[in-house]
Amino acid sequence: MRTLTTQHRPARTAEEHASAIVLRDLTVDGAIHEQGAFRGYEQEQSSLIFLNGQRGGSYRQVVRISGVTVQNSVSDGIHLWTATDATITDLRGVDCFRGGLTITGGDNGVRVDGYRGSGEFTGAHIDIELDTLSNGRLHGDFEIRDAIVEDGPYTRPTDIECGDGGRAVLENCAFRSGFTMMGLNGTIRVTDCELHDKDGDEGLVPRVVHRGDDVVFTRCDFRAHGTRVDTPRSEILAGVRIQQTYSFDAAALFNPRKVVFDRCTFSPAPAEGTNDGGEPVVGVRVAGSRPSDGQVVVRDCSFGQGLDHAVDLTLGGRLVLEGTNRIDSRIGFRVGSLPPGDSRHRIEENGPLAPGEHTVEMWQRGG
């Protein structure tokens, strides 16, 4: 069951925003070790705090949360479903299975200033994964500042999604357990953030699913981990994976978008053990794309020593190099071997490349 919920008594928002629900200086403990099985999502709806407004109009439930700790949950710490106007400050999540802060519905406006997520038993990431219409849309307006999600053996990647003309603004955050950024016809702006991949065998994280409006990273620090001992894997490890797919939005094929890295740094992070599988560790990997699907823009970025190569384009894609990009990785750019006439690769150089002392070659064809 849900511990504190508005589900069965939604706000009367037909004519105006509902009076604020205020939660301040509160700790909610879900006693996770006494609740039975949950890792197979057996209890995924058992949120500690579940808040929502009505879905049929333009007015929302106002929520003010400050100084709250949610911990030991078999599901979410705080779950915002639909039609909320939430201001959250100094939130702490510890060992919350589906996320310390989870948002799944449309028509939400959420501002977060100060979040700390951690845990050794299950973790407490941020999860914005929109799957319920509100007021006929999945639109959301999200601002997240000063949020840190620490990595742990069971902490899952932070998931940021916005759609229907919405936006997500992230500033001065650190997501150390992997991440997914997905623009579903919404814009995502990530500034001055520390972004790690997941140290382990979680597969396709971190990734940007390029399926809508632009995703822009400015002055961000990307760190690609190696693989833990005894967990060999077949996936290339990357600071970020650009997975361009339009399976849910065919019209986007005719409306090319950009993923932009502006003054970002890419480097390998220390791992527990070695990369047993022998796969390369790269800064950016572009996967499953074509030139017409949009651009990956790399502007004034730095790729550090220890990376096998800076950018992997073996599966195709359109890469635009702007400004001066410094390459200290062993290999600069790796592209695939394609038959004559195959134009899946398109590379535009609008600025110089500065090879570092560790660069063996700037371009390598293979794969």
Side-chain angles (χ1 to χ4, degrees), residues 98-227:
R98 285 214 323 172
L101 173 63
T102 301
I103 304 169
T104 61
D107 209 22
N108 288 299
V110 182
R111 292 155 300 281
V112 179
D113 189 356
Y115 175 76
R116 299 293 181 268
S118 62
E120 291 297 324
F121 190 66
T122 188
H125 63 298
I126 295 174
D127 189 6
I128 303 177
E129 192 170 351
L130 308 181
D131 58 19
T132 304
L133 291 171
S134 180
N135 197 26
R137 60 183 186 170
L138 292 175
H139 177 276
D141 191 279
F142 309 113
E143 297 181 4
I144 301 176
R145 297 178 173 86
D146 187 28
I148 298 176
V149 177
E150 298 290 358
D151 191 22
Y154 298 102
T155 307
R156 293 184 298 152
T158 288
D159 197 342
I160 305 295
E161 178 181 306
C162 64
D164 291 346
R167 68 171 188 139
V169 175
L170 298 95
E171 297 178 350
N172 297 304
C173 297
F175 301 133
R176 295 170 178 153
S177 65
F179 63 90
T180 296
M181 306 285 178
M182 184 182 300
L184 302 174
N185 296 315
T187 59
I188 299 177
R189 299 289 183 268
V190 187
T191 304
D192 295 321
C193 290
E194 176 187 322
L195 302 165
H196 291 223
D197 81 349
K198 180 66 177 177
D199 184 4
D201 57 354
E202 270 66 16
L204 299 183
V205 298
R207 60 184 178 142
V208 175
V209 181
H210 188 190
R211 198 172 69 201
D213 285 328
D214 299 348
V215 180
V216 178
F217 298 93
T218 304
R219 295 187 303 274
C220 290
D221 179 14
F222 293 87
R223 304 185 189 182
H225 288 266
T227 306

Side-chain angles (χ1 to χ4, degrees), residues 11 13 16-18 53 58-62 83-85 107-109 137:
T13 56
E16 61 183 7
H17 292 319
S58 59
Y59 295 98
R60 295 185 291 243
Q61 171 65 61
V62 179
T84 65
D85 183 343
D107 209 22
N108 288 299
R137 60 183 186 170

